[in-house]
Amino acid sequence: KAGVTQTPRYLIKTRGQQVTLSCSPISGHRSVSWYQQTPGQGLQFLFEYFSETQRNKGNFPGRFSGRQFSNSRSEMNVSTLELGDSALYLCASTPAIGQRTEAFFGQGTRLTVV
Amino acid sequence: KQEVTQIPAALSVPEGENLVLNCSFTDSAIYNLQWFRQDPGKGLTSLLLIQSSQREQTSGRLNASLDKSSGRSTLYIAASQPGDSATYLCAVPEAGGGADGLTFGKGTHLIIQP
């Protein structure tokens, strides 16, 4: 059974540009969450999608957005990139929304903003 | 708001030793607690998930315990090996219900010396 797949693995972008990251959850999983990991802040929750709807969002500016497709694949978009957006972006999938299920993470996308 | 603390931040021990990693959380109203492993530059690998009704979970040389009332969890690693070197993270669902994502500790960076 394939795990969570994130593409691309690495990205280098210039300040002011926008970027789109992709996440394919484990087959059969319908909930996808996104996290940002930086050395200073650690892992921080961005947002969660279930049934193509954003269910909740962490404390991030509106430049961070996402969506989920009918096949549960999810994308996140960051517009007007800033140097501080450089981070490892991780997505996690769970079978359904809720707090009793084990979360499985992808390998992440390393975004570098120059 | 839930806060998760992991002690120690870093640990270096000789191969073969048994060791304990600690995780504490401020709000005991959790549904579960999950331990992860992260290798440098990689995603998170789920190690153990303990439901709030459980006291312990075991997987191979790993044993995780949970004491909800005191807001603590420990991860015990028996007979450590160099391949166990990684950062270990614990995470709990954000308190209050709903899809608020996971709150992570900053992790314990573990080095097993051959």
Side-chain angles (χ1 to χ4, degrees), chain A residues 36-44 83-88 110-111, chain B residues 38 89 105-107:
Chain A
Q36 180 195 66
Q37 186 177 32
T38 59
Q41 298 298 318
L43 274 150
Q44 294 183 288
L83 295 178
D85 297 332
S86 295
L88 181 66
R110 170 73 64 185
L111 172 63
Chain B
Q38 185 175 33
L89 296 146
K106 293 291 179 70

Side-chain angles (χ1 to χ4, degrees), chain B residues 16-29:
Chain B
E17 284 201 4
N18 303 323
L19 53 99
V20 175
L21 308 182
N22 297 290
C23 170
S24 62
F25 44 94
T26 54
D27 190 332
S28 61

Side-chain angles (χ1 to χ4, degrees), chain A residues 41-108:
Chain A
Q41 298 298 318
L43 274 150
Q44 294 183 288
F45 171 70
L46 279 159
F47 28 64
E48 179 169 10
Y49 285 87
F50 177 75
S51 292
E52 302 177 61
T53 303
Q54 185 181 95
R55 299 296 173 147
N56 214 331
K57 185 173 182 180
N59 189 25
F60 280 83
R63 301 185 296 107
F64 291 82
S65 63
R67 59 178 175 169
Q68 186 179 36
F69 302 95
S70 59
N71 62 358
S72 296
R73 188 177 71 86
S74 177
E75 291 181 346
M76 68 163 281
N77 183 276
V78 188
S79 62
T80 319
L81 284 166
E82 301 177 358
L83 295 178
D85 297 332
S86 295
L88 181 66
Y89 290 87
L90 294 161
C91 83
S93 81
T94 54
I97 207 164
Q99 305 188 25
R100 297 182 179 274
T101 54
E102 188 174 5
F104 296 90
F105 281 77
Q107 289 298 297

